[in-house]
Amino acid sequence: MGTLRVLILLSFIPSPWVLCSTGKHFNQDSTLRLEQQDVLINREDNLEAKRSKREAAALWLGEAYDSSMVFLPADEPDDAPAEGGDASELPTCLLCVCLTGSVYCEEVVPEMTAVPTLPKETAYLYARYNKIKKITNKDFADIVTLKRIDLTGNLISEIEEGAFSKLTLLEELNLAENQLVKLPMLPGKLTTFNANHNRLKTKGVKANAFKRMEKLINLFLGDNALEAVPVIPESVRIVHLQNNNITNISLETFCKGNNTYYVRPNLMEVRLDGNPVLLSKYPNSFTCLKSLPVGQYR
């Protein structure tokens, strides 16, 4: 009878190899479930990051975010170039945020060294803080709908003549914080031109570069190496020329020397601070202005 009880008890105790096998399968299943959860979590994180990028760009551009407007692919292809490759190998709207009429590229990885190929009907391009070195005649030749270009903070040292010649609708052009030594012909309908923090000298800016720009309102040429004030259109309200090498002002710089009754009502702000010119030596050069230029008087 005792022997029978022992046999019954042994029949209910699982053998060590059974326990080991069961534990192994349990651990494998748990690990698999954890790996699946990690994949799902990572996928959700990636999608959320992309959504956030699009929404942030839309807010920055002042446009209402609408997911149906975005034509940036939800998932990047598996054969995308590794980090450190050439941005030209990827479609623009995979590198940048593309909204209807707007392309937003900022600090692109891999490095963007040239103006990207833009979708048709692009009106606004923001390609700030990249490594673009040159603007060619082909970059904007087929995108005549452009109204605003912002290339702040690149390495642009050359712009081919005629690069902007077909942009008849362009109103704002920002080339600040680049390495330009001369300017090409600019579109006639610009209202704002910004070339602050470049290497411009007077010989690199044509004498009539801005003269015929009848809609120009804001002209920013501060922190360059200009030796003289360029011809400023009557329409300009704000002109910044601080921190250049301007040494003198003539009677014709801002006013008309032969007309003491001439007044410039539009020109409200002139910055000449940080230049070697002593403005107090030219008291008759500002009689047409509503306010004196900011600069050195003694």
Side-chain angles (χ1 to χ4, degrees):
M1 189 67 176
T3 302
L4 181 59
R5 289 178 181 172
V6 172
L7 290 173
I8 292 172
L9 287 172
L10 289 175
S11 67
F12 283 94
I13 298 174
S15 64
W17 71 268
V18 173
L19 286 173
C20 182
S21 177
T22 303
K24 183 177 179 180
H25 285 294
F26 176 80
N27 289 335
Q28 288 177 341
D29 292 342
S30 299
T31 302
L32 182 59
R33 284 197 294 271
L34 288 173
E35 289 176 350
Q36 290 173 339
Q37 289 175 0
D38 287 342
V39 170
L40 291 173
I41 290 172
N42 288 336
R43 179 177 176 80
E44 285 299 316
D45 287 344
N46 289 335
L47 291 176
E48 183 60 30
K50 289 178 181 178
R51 284 194 293 268
S52 298
K53 182 181 177 184
R54 297 166 189 163
E55 292 171 4
L59 290 172
W60 189 84
L61 296 174
E63 301 181 20
Y65 176 71
D66 180 356
S67 60
S68 65
M69 293 168 57
V70 181
F71 47 95
L72 177 69
D75 292 308
E76 297 180 2
D78 294 334
D79 58 350
E83 184 174 340
D86 188 350
S88 63
E89 297 175 8
L90 287 171
T92 298
C93 291
L94 192 61
L95 287 165
C96 310
V97 172
C98 294
L99 305 173
T100 300
S102 301
V103 177
Y104 177 81
C105 310
E106 185 166 297
E107 298 179 295
V108 171
V109 177
E111 292 181 352
M112 178 178 285
T113 58
V115 175
T117 301
L118 300 175
K120 297 294 184 181
E121 310 302 325
T122 298
Y124 304 96
L125 169 63
Y126 303 88
R128 307 187 306 171
Y129 304 107
N130 291 294
K131 300 293 178 65
I132 299 171
K133 299 177 182 179
K134 180 179 180 180
I135 300 176
T136 71
N137 288 331
K138 297 179 180 180
D139 289 335
F140 303 117
D142 299 325
I143 316 295
V144 296
T145 52
L146 278 164
K147 295 181 179 179
R148 182 186 302 162
I149 297 174
D150 190 343
L151 294 167
T152 300
N154 280 276
L155 302 174
I156 300 169
S157 59
E158 180 183 356
I159 302 176
E160 291 184 357
E161 195 63 50
F164 304 119
S165 61
K166 295 183 179 181
L167 304 182
T168 58
L169 300 179
L170 194 67
E171 297 176 353
E172 298 181 29
L173 178 58
N174 195 333
L175 299 171
E177 300 176 41
N178 279 283
Q179 300 176 12
L180 293 170
V181 294
K182 67 177 183 178
L183 296 177
M185 182 177 293
L186 299 170
K189 291 186 178 181
L190 282 181
T191 60
T192 297
F193 178 67
N194 190 339
N196 283 344
H197 294 279
N198 275 274
R199 301 176 181 177
L200 295 171
K201 294 185 177 182
T202 296
K203 64 180 181 180
V205 181
K206 295 179 181 178
N208 296 324
F210 309 107
K211 185 176 182 179
R212 298 180 181 178
M213 298 171 66
E214 299 178 352
K215 295 188 176 183
L216 191 63
I217 296 173
N218 305 303
L219 178 58
F220 303 113
L221 296 169
D223 294 275
N224 280 283
L226 298 172
E227 299 91 3
V229 178
V231 177
I232 302 172
E234 293 284 334
S235 57
V236 171
R237 298 177 187 173
I238 298 173
V239 57
H240 287 184
L241 291 159
Q242 71 276 11
N243 303 322
N244 277 277
N245 294 324
I246 298 169
T247 56
N248 64 76
I249 301 293
S250 75
L251 295 176
E252 302 289 334
T253 300
F254 299 107
C255 304
K256 295 179 180 179
N258 60 350
N259 185 350
T260 57
Y261 297 99
Y262 170 70
V263 176
R264 291 190 72 154
N266 292 329
L267 193 54
M268 303 298 293
E269 180 181 327
V270 179
R271 282 193 60 182
L272 286 166
D273 48 305
N275 284 279
V277 61
L278 186 61
L279 298 179
S280 59
K281 293 175 61 176
Y282 309 94
N284 297 325
S285 298
F286 315 122
T287 55
C288 66
L289 303 180
K290 287 189 173 183
S291 59
L292 290 173
V294 177
Q296 180 185 188
Y297 284 90
R298 59 179 180 177

